Amino acid sequence: MEHYVVTYDVADDKRRSKVFKTLKDYGTHVQESVFEVVLTTEDYVVLRHKLLRRIHRDEDSVNFYHQCRACENDVERLGRKVELVGIGDIVL
């Protein structure tokens, strides 16, 4: 499982909503237009494919920032606690 920070800038409200809903299925919404996701290689490929179908490449952008294993432990969080949810996690 690999950790990513995913950011997006989508010009159209309808497309932005679809991108948000797609990312919500894969990770944790931590800020406006920012998600943290934990993905297998297969899930990464599927998520990229889904997002590419939802955006207009000439108007929108989605960025994946891979966090190396060493960097995962160096994340400093201030303020409200964020519980990261990854693929396979069940939230009740």
Side-chain angles (χ1 to χ4, degrees):
M1 302 285 258
E2 300 292 330
H3 289 243
Y4 297 87
V5 174
V6 182
T7 65
Y8 59 93
D9 183 12
V10 179
D12 178 77
D13 289 341
K14 188 174 181 179
R15 290 194 312 268
R16 187 179 320 109
S17 178
K18 289 180 181 181
V19 167
F20 176 87
K21 288 176 184 176
T22 300
L23 286 167
K24 192 171 180 190
D25 289 341
Y26 284 84
T28 303
H29 183 224
V30 293
Q31 283 188 356
E32 190 148 345
S33 302
V34 179
F35 277 80
E36 290 186 35
V37 298
V38 180
L39 303 168
T40 64
T41 302
E42 296 79 15
D43 291 327
Y44 175 76
V45 170
V46 170
L47 177 57
R48 283 186 74 249
H49 179 73
K50 287 180 180 180
L51 292 170
L52 282 171
R53 288 191 337 224
R54 286 161 175 74
I55 67 170
H56 289 179
R57 293 181 193 196
D58 56 336
E59 296 179 19
D60 307 327
S61 66
V62 176
N63 302 295
F64 286 80
Y65 298 95
H66 181 254
Q67 291 192 282
C68 67
R69 297 228 184 266
C71 297
E72 291 172 19
N73 297 324
D74 290 335
V75 175
E76 181 178 4
R77 299 181 193 281
L78 304 175
R80 180 178 57 90
K81 185 176 180 184
V82 174
E83 293 291 332
L84 297 183
V85 177
I87 296 297
D89 290 344
I90 298 173
V91 179
L92 301 176

